[in-house]
Amino acid sequence: MSRRDKNFGWGCLVAGLALAGVLTGCGPKESEQRAGSRSETLNQVGQTESVRDSGLGIWYGPASLNTVTRGIRDDFLGQFTDIGNWPTVYGETAVFKQFIESLGGTKYSDEELKQLATFTREAGLKCAFEIGALRWDPKLYGEGSGAKYAAQEIKVLQRWVDAGGTVDFLSTDHAVMWNVGLCLQGAKPMAPYVKDPDWRIVMDEVVISLSMIHEAFPNAKIGMIESLGYFSVGENYTTTDPLCIYPIDLEEFLSTAKQKLGERGVELDHLHIDFSYQDCRYDGRNEKRLDFGRIMAAEGIVKSIGLDSGMIINAFDDMSYVGSNTVQEQEKAQNAAERSASAVDNTLEYFDGYVAAGGEPDTWILQRWQPYPDVTGPETVRDTDMGVSRLLVNKLKRLEE
């Protein structure tokens, strides 16, 4: 079961995925050197939209938030806005993805946010945000909660627009099942307020929220992320938490979401699959293997109803993930390098296993929310966020050959 299934105490999420452009004329050694000035490099890689479209079209979502204070990582902004740190990944990325959480409060100063927005705009990169769409708490739940929550997120997203950024994709972070889970799982914080939650009623509030958000940002394509562990998928997979979560058929869920959004004039564009390395280990625990059957069945369902199928590639390190997700750290770990290497090893094994199982998404999403690697870059250093992303990009390039 993923972090989204179990870590309900985490507040409103925020997303970060990646950028697009093509670095031409860089050999293996050149790509490991710093690029020239930022403006010169942007001119080189960002001349035409058609050039970007000819690449892999990756969404890149580097982990911009540290896991101790939930503030922006000290090295993130400087590393990310200098493409000399990540030319290989940059050259194949179409979309930069962030969590909406990163826009809140004072995580970025106004000037820092303008710097980031200017970088993405000058690079011609589309921007995606992972949003809550609906997050219940004891003061906000039930009928009318969707509209109230949407107003909050619209205000936060507007800060990005005011800084000069674009809102091109919005993906809900298991907006329905987060709230159902709050009533049925773990400490059940919402159980005193909502008994026997019906996912269809929760979805009605999510649909209201999304219709308001889409009205505010009409150019944004709307999609969903829902943790597969909540669902019955195909003939062989039911919820990974059957004692708490009643089985919900994934195909019925997505078809219902598509229909209800359509009735309000909102097209459901994509479903991005969130079922990571550790989740596949859980499904295959009896055979002591990674089991990708749930993912493959879900991918088929998503495509069959006409949605863009996206695959999120990531993994926890073996020390962070011990039965339940450990996202919030009390202090910086002393063995951070070891844990970063473990996370990279797991991520690469996960990618290879998914490809071997026949995985073929419409969109590859190189996104990290896990605490390790805890260093942003550069991509020439293996056990960094940019480093593991570079390894994945190179694997994808070989698949295209």
Side-chain angles (χ1 to χ4, degrees):
M1 184 174 295
S2 78
R3 77 160 170 138
R4 305 179 203 274
D5 292 335
K6 295 193 174 183
N7 195 23
F8 290 111
W10 206 37
C12 189
L13 294 181
V14 177
L17 265 225
L19 299 141
V22 174
L23 259 175
T24 59
C26 284
K29 292 183 179 179
E30 291 174 300
S31 68
E32 296 183 7
Q33 299 171 353
R34 289 181 64 84
S37 71
R38 184 166 74 86
S39 60
E40 290 174 354
T41 309
L42 290 176
N43 288 334
Q44 179 185 2
V45 300
Q47 292 178 354
T48 66
E49 190 69 29
S50 61
V51 172
R52 296 190 190 92
D53 290 343
S54 69
L56 295 173
I58 287 168
W59 289 31
Y60 180 43
S64 62
L65 299 168
N66 71 58
T67 58
V68 178
T69 68
R70 300 303 297 167
I72 303 299
R73 288 182 173 179
D74 292 340
D75 69 342
F76 173 72
L77 193 59
Q79 289 270 355
F80 188 75
T81 57
D82 180 353
I83 64 174
N85 293 310
W86 55 297
T88 306
V89 181
Y90 177 91
E92 299 294 342
T93 305
V95 179
F96 168 53
K97 186 181 177 190
Q98 306 169 82
F99 287 106
I100 192 173
E101 182 187 354
S102 66
L103 301 180
T106 58
K107 288 181 171 61
Y108 286 113
S109 68
D110 290 344
E111 287 304 313
E112 288 172 332
L113 201 61
K114 287 179 181 178
Q115 180 186 351
L116 184 59
T118 299
F119 173 79
T120 60
R121 187 178 65 253
E122 290 182 354
L125 301 169
K126 295 185 183 298
C127 296
F129 289 89
E130 199 164 318
I131 63 174
L134 183 66
R135 288 289 183 269
W136 281 353
D137 63 44
K139 295 182 179 180
L140 180 66
Y141 63 91
E143 187 175 356
S145 58
K148 292 177 181 177
Y149 200 85
Q152 296 177 19
E153 294 207 314
I154 289 169
K155 182 178 180 180
V156 175
L157 288 168
Q158 187 61 45
R159 184 181 180 223
W160 173 251
V161 174
D162 293 343
T166 62
V167 178
D168 301 292
F169 297 92
L170 294 170
S171 306
T172 63
D173 179 29
H174 66 292
V176 175
M177 294 312 301
W178 178 292
N179 300 295
V180 172
L182 286 174
C183 302
L184 300 177
Q185 287 183 296
K188 303 178 179 63
M190 291 303 298
Y193 307 94
V194 181
K195 296 181 180 179
D196 300 322
D198 185 333
W199 67 266
R200 295 172 183 82
I201 295 176
V202 179
M203 182 177 285
D204 286 339
E205 294 298 324
V206 171
V207 167
I208 291 170
S209 174
L210 286 175
S211 64
M212 290 178 58
I213 292 171
H214 188 254
E215 184 177 359
F217 306 100
N219 294 325
K221 293 184 177 181
I222 302 296
M224 288 185 163
I225 298 170
E226 288 287 347
S227 300
L228 294 186
Y230 281 123
F231 296 94
S232 294
V233 185
E235 298 179 357
N236 299 320
Y237 296 89
T238 186
T239 169
T240 56
D241 193 3
L243 297 180
C244 295
I245 295 292
Y246 53 84
I248 301 168
D249 182 77
L250 180 65
E251 185 169 5
E252 180 187 1
F253 179 91
L254 292 177
S255 297
T256 301
K258 185 177 181 180
Q259 177 187 342
K260 289 189 173 186
L261 284 167
E263 290 170 353
R264 288 181 171 267
V266 179
E267 179 182 0
L268 184 60
D269 176 73
H270 59 270
L271 186 284
H272 291 170
I273 292 173
D274 172 20
F275 200 71
S276 73
Y277 171 85
Q278 279 78 12
D279 301 319
C280 291
R281 282 180 57 181
Y282 180 84
D283 267 359
R285 62 195 181 280
N286 293 331
E287 295 83 18
K288 296 182 179 180
R289 65 180 178 89
L290 295 176
D291 183 349
F292 290 90
R294 185 189 299 267
I295 290 176
M296 298 312 302
E299 192 170 285
I301 290 169
V302 173
K303 292 182 177 182
S304 72
I305 62 176
L307 301 180
D308 182 284
S309 173
M311 183 64 185
I312 300 174
I313 301 293
N314 60 33
F316 279 89
D317 67 281
D318 290 332
M319 287 143 277
S320 290
Y321 193 99
V322 284
S324 62
N325 298 331
T326 304
V327 174
Q328 188 77 20
E329 304 256 326
Q330 298 302 311
E331 59 186 20
K332 183 175 175 62
Q334 297 299 310
N335 62 339
E338 178 186 3
R339 294 171 75 171
S340 293
S342 171
V344 171
D345 291 342
N346 289 345
T347 301
L348 297 176
E349 182 183 356
Y350 177 65
F351 173 88
D352 290 341
Y354 169 67
V355 171
E360 193 174 356
D362 298 305
T363 303
W364 292 95
I365 304 147
L366 310 186
Q367 177 183 8
R368 302 199 73 83
W369 53 77
Q370 292 84 351
Y372 298 95
D374 64 339
V375 177
T376 300
E379 68 171 35
T380 51
V381 179
R382 178 186 186 270
D383 298 335
T384 65
D385 195 305
M386 291 174 176
V388 66
S389 298
R390 179 196 184 198
L391 294 173
L392 292 169
V393 165
N394 285 335
K395 284 176 176 287
L396 285 169
K397 285 182 176 180
R398 288 193 288 271
L399 289 177
E400 294 288 310
E401 292 176 354

